[in-house]
Every structure is written in structure tokens, then in C-alpha cells.
Amino acid sequence: MPRIVECVPNFSEGHSKEVIEGIAKAIVTTPGCSLLDVDPGPSTNRTVYTFVGSPEDVVKGALAGAMAAAQLIDMAHHRGEHPRIGALDVCPFVPVQEVSMAECVDCANKFASALAETLNVPGKLDTASLNKHHFLQTHCQSVLTFFCSYQIHKFLPAIYR
């Protein structure tokens, strides 16, 4: 069976068709990534993308989406029901098939490192101080959203224009 991870990044744009499609194109053109859904929310001015692939491919797809967002989203003019700190709000990695939650934490770490290196923004996910296996067994998917949203909010403001 193939190893499958789902990635559900939330980008801070829910109106501009050009921006929404630009981010989708960045994800879709990443080899090994299959885009399952694009759900724009005009009132929140946020779009949720859902895509799957191997652990390695979804990290690359998330990075491609974040790089597109850095070019396309101007946070200086962002308005919506929920305040945003960065063009990428959260980026959870969810195990689907033949992948453990610990491996998804690894995906989040690799994504944060690549994002920091590629976009020259400081920060890196740090889960080493947690007893992650116990914590992950009890908190499942929501913990990754917390790791990603908490840590990414610390360094994504640097991609504002």
C-alpha cells in the first residue's frame, strides 16, 4: 500500500480567483501531489486546500503553495472575520495510510525548515521537548494543527509585503 499524508494548508485569501488559482496551480504542479479540494471562504478571506501524496511530496507541495502565497498575497490589505498573522495561517499534516502521526510531525518539521530556508524567514518547528508519542496518541490531528499554527505564526509575518 502507498504511504499517504493529507495536507490541509489555510491561506489568507478567499476572494481573488487569481490568487486562489495561483496557489492551487503551485500545489497541483508539484509531482506526486493530488489536489482534492479548494474551499474559499469569502467572509473569513481564507481558502483551505486539501491535497494528498507521499510524505515527501506533500512537504514539497506545501512549500510550493507557501512560496506562491508569499508572491501573491499582500497581508497589508487583508481583511476578514478572523485576523491573520501571515499569508499561510496553518499547515496541518494528517496521516491517511501507512503513515504514523510521528511521521507527520517529521513532515511538519521538514516543511518549517524548508520554508525558513527558502523564504529566508527565521524559525523551525521544535517538537523535541515533547513526549510526542504519548501526546500525539491522545491529541491526534489537532496537535499538528497546533504545532504548525503556533510555530508558523512566529515567523511567517516576514513574508508580508
Side-chain angles (χ1 to χ4, degrees), residues 65-80:
M67 291 172 60
Q71 296 297 315
L72 298 170
I73 297 174
D74 184 351
M75 291 302 293
H77 303 290
H78 187 274
R79 300 291 180 268

Side-chain angles (χ1 to χ4, degrees), residues 35-89:
L35 186 62
L36 303 178
D37 190 44
V38 177
D39 185 19
S43 66
T44 57
N45 200 11
R46 172 168 72 178
T47 299
V48 179
Y49 297 78
T50 304
F51 64 97
V52 295
S54 72
E56 298 78 16
D57 292 337
V58 296
V59 170
K60 292 174 186 172
L63 183 61
M67 291 172 60
Q71 296 297 315
L72 298 170
I73 297 174
D74 184 351
M75 291 302 293
H77 303 290
H78 187 274
R79 300 291 180 268
E81 288 181 10
H82 303 290
R84 302 286 176 246
I85 294 177
L88 174 60
D89 191 33

